[in-house]
């Protein structure tokens, strides 16, 4: 079971800024991975590098979320994504959450609403989190 924001606020303290920093870290890692993989495409990825990075990012997010309920950036910021029952994400949940994130990126209004929700919601949930019932919390020690 997930801790309630009112009775256990320590699980949600500073989650929104940590999410932003984790996203920036992950973006940097994804671009680096894309650059490392580019020679393996005989450098054809250079012609569509933003799309290539988006594909690499999708795979990166699904794999890291499915393997530990957090991307590497989230792990560095000591936060993790949990399902509504408090369990860690599995492959299908990671795939759904990443798909929701990419839909938000494709629709700027939804991304704006998501950012506002993350900054103002008591548990820091974005649009994808509200739809899927996922929650970002500070990692338990």
């Amino acid at each position: 079971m997930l801790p309630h924001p009112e009775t256990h606020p320590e699980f949600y303290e500073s989650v929104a800024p940590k999410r932003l920093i984790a996203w920036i870290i992950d973006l940097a890692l994804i671009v680096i991975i894309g650059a490392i993989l580019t020679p393996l495409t005989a450098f054809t990825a250079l012609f569509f590098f933003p799309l290539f990075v988006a594909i690499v990012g999708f795979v990166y997010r699904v794999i890291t979320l499915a393997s530990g309920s957090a991307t590497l950036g989230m792990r560095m910021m000591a936060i993790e994504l949990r399902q509504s029952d408090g369990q860690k994400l599995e492959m299908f949940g990671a795939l759904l959450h990443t798909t929701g994130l990419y839909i938000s990126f494709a629709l700027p209004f939804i991304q704006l609403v998501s950012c506002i929700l993350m900054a103002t919601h008591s548990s820091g949930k974005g649009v994808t989190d509200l739809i899927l019932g996922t929650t970002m919390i500070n990692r338990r020690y």
Side-chain angles (χ1 to χ4, degrees), residues 1 11 16 40 60 84 93 98-99 123 139:
M1 193 96 239
F11 283 97
L40 301 176
Y60 164 86
S84 59
T98 303
T99 300
S123 59
R139 189 171 48 216

Side-chain angles (χ1 to χ4, degrees), residues 54-108:
I55 293 166
V56 168
F58 191 92
V59 172
Y60 164 86
R61 288 180 188 284
V62 171
I63 290 171
T64 56
L65 286 174
S67 68
S69 216
T71 63
L72 297 177
M74 291 174 194
R75 292 171 196 182
M76 290 173 78
M77 296 309 301
I79 55 177
E80 60 188 9
L81 197 57
R82 293 298 183 113
Q83 299 178 137
S84 59
D85 62 0
Q87 298 298 311
K88 292 186 175 197
L89 287 182
E90 294 179 2
M91 182 59 77
F92 186 65
L95 182 63
L96 287 176
H97 199 276
T98 303
T99 300
L101 176 70
Y102 273 57
I103 290 170
S104 292
F105 287 161
L107 304 169

Side-chain angles (χ1 to χ4, degrees), residues 26-73:
D26 288 329
L27 181 59
L29 289 171
I30 290 163
V31 170
I32 290 167
I33 294 167
I36 291 169
L37 293 176
T38 296
L40 301 176
T41 68
F43 295 96
T44 58
L46 292 174
F47 296 107
F48 56 96
F49 195 70
L51 177 61
F52 183 65
V53 168
I55 293 166
V56 168
F58 191 92
V59 172
Y60 164 86
R61 288 180 188 284
V62 171
I63 290 171
T64 56
L65 286 174
S67 68
S69 216
T71 63
L72 297 177

Side-chain angles (χ1 to χ4, degrees), residues 121-137:
H121 195 273
S122 63
S123 59
K125 291 184 177 198
V127 171
T128 301
D129 298 318
L130 290 171
I131 292 169
L132 297 177
T134 53
T135 303
M136 188 73 69
I137 61 171

